[in-house]
Amino acid sequence: MRNIVIAICTALLFGPLAGCQISPDYPRSSVVTVNITAGSNVNPGNGVKAQPLRVCIFETSRAGWDPPGLYADRICDDTELGKEVLKYQVYILLPNRHLTYRSPITGQQERWLVVGAEFQTGAGQLSLIERRVEPDTNFNMEINADFSSLSAIR
């Protein structure tokens, strides 16, 4: 009788642990995080006074994607974005302020992050930053916006 009680207690104690294992096929959720900091001289206007900056973040399904309004000084325009754009967000960033973009990602779809800004001096190569987001990893990027350019710190 004692052996039966010990067997039942052992089964109750260790039974649930026997079925536990970490499955590599379990869908893991990753997060894309972008921190953008505007300097005190961002987006200078006519009087060299800092102005609010329109910033946009695109998650796309392919490399080399350019916003349709890039060469018309409308980087953040959302007309005719196309099926390559998976997510899109626009912000107004004030001088000496900070914003954080967070986006959960599930699945294995390959994606690129494109960060753009509409500076008063016009669009150019310093108005866009593109980075590849590795599947199943947390992605972090730090960006500074100052004067008329964006620069990625990491």
Side-chain angles (χ1 to χ4, degrees):
M1 180 68 165
R2 181 173 177 216
N3 290 341
I4 293 174
V5 172
I6 292 174
I8 291 173
C9 289
T10 303
L12 290 174
L13 182 64
F14 294 108
L17 296 177
C20 292
Q21 67 179 14
I22 297 174
S23 171
D25 297 334
Y26 182 78
R28 188 174 148 232
S29 180
S30 301
V31 177
V32 168
T33 304
V34 179
N35 292 300
I36 305 174
T37 303
S40 60
N41 299 314
V42 71
N43 203 21
N46 291 336
V48 189
K49 184 179 176 187
Q51 302 291 318
L53 179 65
R54 190 172 185 204
V55 176
C56 45
I57 299 174
F58 304 89
E59 292 182 38
T60 68
S61 60
R62 69 176 179 84
W65 179 86
D66 286 332
L70 176 62
Y71 299 106
D73 295 338
R74 294 179 291 120
I75 291 174
C76 298
D77 192 0
D78 64 352
T79 57
E80 301 178 26
L81 288 180
K83 61 184 177 191
E84 302 94 355
V85 177
L86 307 171
K87 293 181 184 177
Y88 168 72
Q89 188 70 44
V90 176
Y91 301 94
I92 301 297
L93 183 58
L94 299 174
N96 290 318
R97 299 291 179 167
H98 175 85
L99 75 84
T100 299
Y101 170 84
R102 280 193 183 85
S103 175
I105 297 174
T106 53
Q108 294 289 320
Q109 183 173 10
E110 203 166 89
R111 66 183 63 219
W112 284 261
L113 194 71
V114 178
V115 179
E118 294 181 353
F119 294 100
Q120 291 189 37
T121 59
Q125 66 181 17
L126 302 178
S127 301
L128 283 179
I129 296 174
E130 178 187 63
R131 295 288 188 269
R132 183 173 186 265
V133 177
E134 297 288 334
D136 289 329
T137 60
N138 289 326
F139 177 87
N140 294 299
M141 185 164 57
E142 300 282 334
I143 296 176
N144 277 343
D146 210 1
F147 291 100
S148 297
S149 67
L150 296 176
S151 53
I153 299 169
R154 65 177 177 123

